[in-house]
Amino acid sequence: MREPTEAERLAALEFRTSPFGRHSPQLQRLLLEFRREPFPDKHVLVCTEPYRRWSVARLSGRRGDEPVRMEGLSFERIADAEWAVFRLRWRRMFGEEFA
Amino acid sequence: MSESEAAGRILGYCDRISVRPGDVVRFMLSTPPPLGPLQTGVVRIFCATDHPAGPGLRLVPIASDADGFIPAREQPIRLGSNVVVDATAAVVRASSFSLGLFVWPTLPGRGRQVLASRWSDTTRAGFALCLDESGGLAFRLGDGSGATGAVSTGRPLLAREWYFVAASYDAATGAVCLLQEPLQEHPFAADAASVTGEASIAPWPQEGAPLVFASWREAGDVRAATGEHFNGKIARPRLLSKALPAQALGDLRIDPLPATLAPWLVGDWDLSRSIPGDAIEDVSGNGLHGRAVNGPTRGVTGPNWIGRSLDWTVTPEEYGAIHFHDDDLTDCCWDADVTVPVGDWPSGLYALRVTAADGSTAEFLPFYVRAPKGGATAQALYLASTATYLAYTNLHRFHRSVSEPIAGKLIVMTAEDLYLNAHPELGLSTYDTHGDGSGVVYSSRLRPDLENRVRGRLWNFSLDTLLLDWLDRMGEGVDVATDEDLHREGASLLAPYRVVLTGSHPEYYSLAMLDALEAHTRQGGRLMYLGGNGFYWRIAWHPTTPGILENRRALGGTRTFATPPEESRLSFSGESGGTWRSQGRAPQKIAGVGFAAQGFNSSTWFVRQADAKNPRAAFVFDDVAEGPIGYYGLGDGGAAGIEIDRFERDLGSPAHALVLASSTGHTSDYRLATEEMLVNDGMTDGTNSENVRADMVFFETPRGGAVFSTGSIAWIAALPHNGYDNDVAQITLNVLRRFLDPEPFIPTDVPDRMEPDRRSG
């Protein structure tokens, strides 16, 4: 566990503004690591209403296991769900909430 | 019950996806029991996507014999492959016997897996040579009274190593002998065994119980229950009507079989014969031929493979194995519930709509209606990419954690994904790997398809309907045909049409399909390739059963798994599998552009290049304003993206082709196709590689023909922007109308790229 750098904090803010699109090298680096998150307990989205609602869930990677929904993490915009997962991964990597 | 199942789900498929007026199409349905009667009817599909930013679903009911109600019923799916030899007299008479075969297990220890059997699980009768729960060889027998016995070696086989295994049973003494013999010595592994035991009960197979390799199977028709499927390869099974002692069991592996054993030979199955298809040949002379069920992988290396050739057509004797999987599926074998005579309907995309009477759920089973035989009803033909749809059928994106970094966004599981996850019996896609890690090489449409569907993901099938919807709204009539039609009929299918239009992703092409399309462009025909990553994988179709394709991800290419080079030959045809690019026919040769890069979270736009000013292509930009083209759309917000293709003279783009426009502004989540690099020079994404781009290309072909390519999957997804009133739609319309004009295309003022090939100078 290490402290996030100032550049990484800025990258997080950049992601919150623009989850998809052109990113700074620092954000690219962070996202490569986050998105490679392996099974088990990989974060995925479960679409609960087509085009309207997505829940954050964790997938074991074992075939047939249902994704396990995470309480309170249901969103009407995919970008918000991406941001929620980004923060969970931030906490796992740095051991602190992204403030 | 999971959320995905709560509403119940109607599953189905049809026997033919391409029909003409006067033909009959049959629909097989299955629904879970709680559903009451089902209402059925035919609809014509114009727009199959309900994307909120799109034009909306457009399904038009068509009166037909299918209108009405039918009872719901559930039909089983028997997942897993095997080989079945019917219970002929010779098989039944072998009360004392010896069985031997070569085996290469991939998941030893993952539950009990049957290698060879005449076993009924309901009556516990018969025998089964299997790998037991520990992964060691075992012989199980049952007399039907409920009592069973077993003898086992107690020594697990190693995964992915060849063994010869055999068992004998002596009806007179009850002696059971087992032999487990590694073909290579594995240091420190106690994996060899020779065991003699005694059975207190006699194996009495049920009457009619077939001899089965790689699972057990109840007596009965094609839908008889099966179980304890084996994962791995089996080669050269032999059956003798004589119980050999343990020390003689090894003689069963000798080729040719020792003459002293010949009088007792019942069956000797040489799996290197009849590799294309399902036939299993008995070479004993007794004619006990069998059949492979549910598409186990053929044309795979056997125990004697030494690498003289990587091609089973050259050294078939080294390819005498079959790779079985417990998740293989090629035919649900359901009975038909609805039969629809096709009326005098306009050529187009149709579907059987099946609705629960309470309205809780509905499903659509698509099929294509062609023009009447010998009577094209339009000047243009839309070629539905049904081979590509089929390759993607029941894609399990969520099986691979790498799906997220590839897509540059979180994996989204839809209701269909949840259902697939909970119901492995629907089978896998050619992007997936089997439970044992080997790649899926066959896909069949004789099963429910949760990928290509009305209201499905905006991808392939549903995305392509935006083109159909637009064509109809523009008043541009087209006939439709499918990839299977093109494969079967060749260039004659295209000959009546001046223009052929593709969908967004015509990725999978057989030799006959590619030849036909190429012939069309050489004989004055026009081609509008409105997609990305087209003409990429070389596939084969099953030689006798329509609707099953084969693809081997060999010889490089951007891919989710790698087929081993020694198994790169297509079993259905003997042709080399892999990409067309790796076989001298890169997509650039036919379309002017070929796969370059992909990304799945932000598309961009096209910017006009110098060739856009060339008078030869002036018609393309009629009524199109200056500036970027297609900075909008349902495909990640732009017309240039998802999977994109570029012009490359070295790969066969015609020298006189005009690069009218190219995409720009791709992000680091757009990454170069792996075959686009030999050594990774670090310039491999949209921010630093000039090859991460889509090129819009036009060129003339012989006899007045022409080709227009967009090189982008996202192109069609941009058509509906602003009520179909936009530059992407205008360009597409300009090209279509000019291509429909019989005035021949004659290349004049060809650019200086016509210089001699620079490599030869």
Side-chain angles (χ1 to χ4, degrees):
Chain A
M1 200 89 57
R2 64 174 175 83
E3 288 274 305
T5 65
E6 197 49 36
E8 282 165 338
R9 290 185 197 280
L10 286 171
L13 291 171
E14 181 189 348
F15 183 77
R16 183 160 66 173
T17 312
S18 171
F20 311 120
R22 289 188 92 83
H23 288 149
S24 65
Q26 189 60 61
L27 178 54
Q28 289 175 33
R29 177 73 193 80
L30 209 51
L31 285 177
L32 282 177
E33 185 145 353
F34 281 3
R35 286 173 175 158
R36 274 161 199 269
E37 179 185 59
F39 296 129
D41 289 341
K42 184 176 180 68
H43 293 89
V44 300
L45 300 182
V46 172
C47 180
T48 52
E49 288 174 60
Y51 303 107
R52 292 185 55 181
R53 189 164 276 281
W54 296 267
S55 290
V56 178
R58 281 187 298 198
L59 200 57
S60 74
R62 226 176 52 187
R63 296 187 180 192
D65 282 1
E66 287 253 334
V68 179
R69 311 274 179 86
M70 298 180 72
E71 280 294 304
L73 294 180
S74 175
F75 301 92
E76 292 185 356
R77 289 178 354 120
I78 273 207
D80 294 337
E82 285 272 357
W83 175 238
V85 173
F86 186 98
R87 292 179 67 191
L88 291 168
R89 290 168 172 174
W90 179 280
R91 189 168 63 194
R92 188 182 281 184
M93 177 178 275
F94 300 118
E96 63 173 48
E97 297 290 335
F98 181 81
Chain B
M1 184 178 291
S2 73
E3 184 174 345
S4 60
E5 295 171 273
R9 183 173 280 276
I10 297 164
L11 298 169
Y13 60 94
C14 53
D15 60 345
R16 307 170 66 185
I17 53 159
S18 179
V19 288
R20 298 179 193 267
D23 287 345
V24 169
V25 54
R26 291 176 187 81
F27 295 88
M28 282 57 77
L29 302 172
S30 177
T31 65
L35 283 181
L38 304 173
Q39 186 173 11
T40 59
V42 171
V43 296
R44 183 170 180 190
I45 298 176
F46 289 99
C47 180
T49 177
D50 56 352
H51 192 293
L57 279 182
R58 189 151 75 98
L59 311 169
V60 179
I62 304 286
S64 79
D65 284 5
D67 289 331
F69 290 85
I70 58 164
R73 62 167 168 172
E74 193 165 16
Q75 304 203 59
I77 297 176
R78 304 304 183 196
L79 187 68
S81 58
N82 53 21
V83 161
V84 177
V85 178
D86 289 332
T88 56
V91 170
V92 173
R93 270 199 308 271
S95 53
S96 284
F97 57 87
S98 300
L99 247 176
L101 50 85
F102 294 90
V103 61
W104 189 80
T106 49
L107 293 172
R110 179 85 68 87
R112 191 157 51 194
Q113 301 174 44
V114 173
L115 302 172
S117 70
R118 290 187 68 212
W119 176 261
S120 161
D121 213 50
T122 49
T123 59
R124 317 293 290 167
F127 64 85
L129 180 65
C130 48
L131 302 182
D132 63 16
E133 289 81 351
S134 76
L137 188 68
F139 187 73
R140 176 176 37 162
L141 25 78
D143 59 10
S145 71
T148 61
V151 177
S152 64
T153 64
R155 294 189 167 182
L157 283 72
L158 297 174
R160 296 178 186 274
E161 298 289 353
W162 277 108
Y163 294 81
F164 178 75
V165 298
S168 64
Y169 171 74
D170 189 325
T173 64
V176 173
C177 300
L178 286 179
L179 175 67
Q180 175 177 319
E181 198 169 50
L183 298 201
Q184 285 188 353
E185 191 181 332
H186 303 120
F188 314 113
D191 59 346
S194 175
V195 173
T196 300
E198 196 168 317
S200 55
I201 50 171
W204 289 115
Q206 242 187 338
E207 192 178 334
L211 176 66
V212 181
F213 301 119
S215 80
W216 54 255
R217 184 175 185 271
E218 301 286 350
D221 69 6
V222 291
R223 292 181 303 177
T226 67
E228 295 178 339
H229 283 267
F230 167 67
N231 287 283
K233 294 179 186 178
I234 288 175
R236 204 61 191 255
R238 279 171 167 162
L239 177 64
L240 236 56
S241 60
K242 174 188 174 68
L244 297 175
Q247 68 273 16
L249 276 175
D251 291 352
L252 273 174
R253 64 179 274 196
I254 299 172
D255 194 27
L257 191 72
T260 51
L261 296 181
W264 290 281
L265 185 61
V266 175
D268 183 0
W269 293 274
D270 181 350
L271 308 181
S272 74
R273 300 202 178 197
S274 302
I275 284 175
D278 308 324
I280 299 297
E281 283 191 40
D282 170 25
V283 295
S284 72
N286 295 329
L288 297 185
H289 305 305
R291 60 194 177 279
V293 177
N294 267 343
T297 308
R298 303 194 67 172
V300 295
T301 54
N304 58 340
W305 187 82
I306 54 169
R308 285 186 297 146
S309 170
L310 304 181
D311 179 351
W312 63 258
T313 68
V314 175
T315 51
E317 66 279 9
E318 294 183 14
Y319 286 86
I322 291 183
H323 194 150
F324 299 89
H325 309 90
D326 62 7
D327 49 14
D328 280 324
L329 175 67
T330 52
D331 193 345
C332 290
C333 297
W334 288 352
D335 290 328
D337 293 278
V338 180
T339 299
V340 180
V342 178
D344 193 16
W345 305 336
S347 182
L349 172 59
Y350 293 77
L352 181 75
R353 182 183 55 203
V354 187
T355 315
D358 64 5
S360 61
T361 183
E363 190 57 84
F364 296 83
L365 306 174
F367 62 101
Y368 296 83
V369 175
R370 297 174 62 187
K373 201 169 178 60
T377 59
Q379 302 275 335
L381 178 79
Y382 165 68
L383 204 49
S385 304
T386 52
T388 302
Y389 303 165
L390 183 53
Y392 279 89
T393 289
N394 296 345
L395 175 56
H396 290 63
R397 293 170 177 82
F398 50 89
H399 272 179
R400 290 174 292 283
S401 90
V402 76
S403 293
E404 184 184 356
I406 289 173
K409 59 190 175 193
L410 288 165
I411 295 168
V412 175
M413 294 183 72
T414 63
E416 283 67 46
D417 294 323
L418 297 176
Y419 192 90
L420 283 176
N421 190 39
H423 293 271
E425 70 274 15
L426 296 184
L428 298 160
S429 81
T430 67
Y431 288 80
D432 301 320
T433 49
H434 290 287
D436 71 0
S438 58
V440 176
V441 302
Y442 306 127
S443 181
S444 168
R445 60 172 169 76
L446 303 174
R447 58 172 171 155
D449 178 355
L450 298 195
E451 170 75 15
N452 302 287
R453 57 194 303 280
V454 171
R455 294 197 182 92
R457 267 190 180 81
L458 195 67
W459 183 251
N460 280 332
F461 172 81
S462 73
L463 172 51
D464 289 347
T465 64
L466 292 171
L467 177 64
L468 288 176
D469 190 49
W470 172 77
L471 286 165
D472 180 69
R473 287 167 193 260
M474 292 299 110
E476 299 292 345
V478 292
D479 286 347
V480 304
T482 69
D483 285 341
E484 286 183 52
D485 300 316
L486 185 63
H487 176 76
R488 199 174 49 247
E489 298 174 25
S492 68
L493 168 72
L494 309 178
Y497 299 99
R498 194 163 285 136
V499 185
V500 171
L501 299 101
T502 74
S504 60
H505 194 22
E507 181 178 5
Y508 291 80
Y509 258 69
S510 69
L511 177 63
M513 290 162 59
L514 197 62
D515 282 350
L517 199 57
E518 192 175 271
H520 172 76
T521 64
R522 296 278 167 85
Q523 289 158 10
R526 286 92 191 249
L527 170 65
M528 293 177 71
Y529 164 47
L530 300 176
N533 193 2
F535 321 112
Y536 189 72
W537 292 108
R538 178 178 192 160
I539 60 160
W541 292 94
H542 191 284
T544 53
T545 306
I548 306 175
L549 66 71
E550 178 178 13
N551 184 57
R552 304 232 173 179
R553 300 193 186 274
L555 307 176
T558 298
R559 50 193 172 159
T560 49
F561 62 83
T563 300
E566 66 274 20
E567 294 180 357
S568 60
R569 284 271 155 175
L570 296 162
S571 67
F572 287 172
S573 66
E575 299 166 278
S576 177
T579 62
W580 280 112
R581 175 175 172 157
S582 69
Q583 299 178 51
R585 292 184 76 175
Q588 278 87 349
K589 288 192 172 179
I590 190 161
V593 294
F595 185 45
Q598 63 181 20
F600 302 89
N601 65 11
S602 60
S603 297
T604 65
W605 49 86
F606 287 90
V607 172
R608 261 169 272 215
Q609 302 297 304
D611 286 351
K613 292 196 164 64
N614 190 302
R616 288 160 55 204
F619 67 94
V620 175
F621 297 106
D622 279 350
D623 298 321
V624 177
E626 290 296 324
I629 296 158
Y631 49 87
Y632 42 73
L634 306 182
D636 300 328
I642 304 180
E643 295 179 27
I644 53 179
D645 303 347
R646 67 182 184 88
F647 175 96
E648 176 53 68
R649 190 57 207 101
D650 285 352
L651 289 172
S653 295
H656 68 292
L658 301 176
V659 178
L660 306 177
S662 300
S663 67
T664 183
H666 293 292
T667 69
S668 56
D669 287 332
Y670 270 68
R671 307 208 179 93
L672 208 55
T674 55
E675 63 274 19
E676 286 278 88
M677 64 184 97
L678 286 174
V679 178
N680 188 335
D681 63 2
M683 311 278 269
T684 58
D685 71 49
T687 63
N688 54 31
S689 171
E690 63 173 16
N691 286 346
V692 176
R693 66 172 199 274
D695 288 328
M696 182 192 301
V697 162
F698 165 79
F699 57 93
E700 300 85 349
T701 56
R703 300 180 177 83
V707 172
F708 172 78
S709 297
T710 60
S712 164
I713 285 183
W715 181 266
I716 287 174
L719 282 176
H721 174 73
N722 189 36
Y724 287 113
D725 183 8
N726 60 71
D727 291 344
V728 168
Q730 186 65 50
I731 288 170
T732 314
L733 190 64
N734 290 343
V735 174
L736 176 60
R737 294 215 165 132
R738 174 61 187 89
F739 276 24
L740 285 168
D741 185 336
E743 178 72 20
F745 283 98
I746 298 166
T748 55
D749 183 29
V750 292
D752 52 13
R753 275 198 297 273
M754 287 299 269
E755 71 198 4
D757 189 327
R758 61 181 177 276
R759 290 167 304 179
S760 58

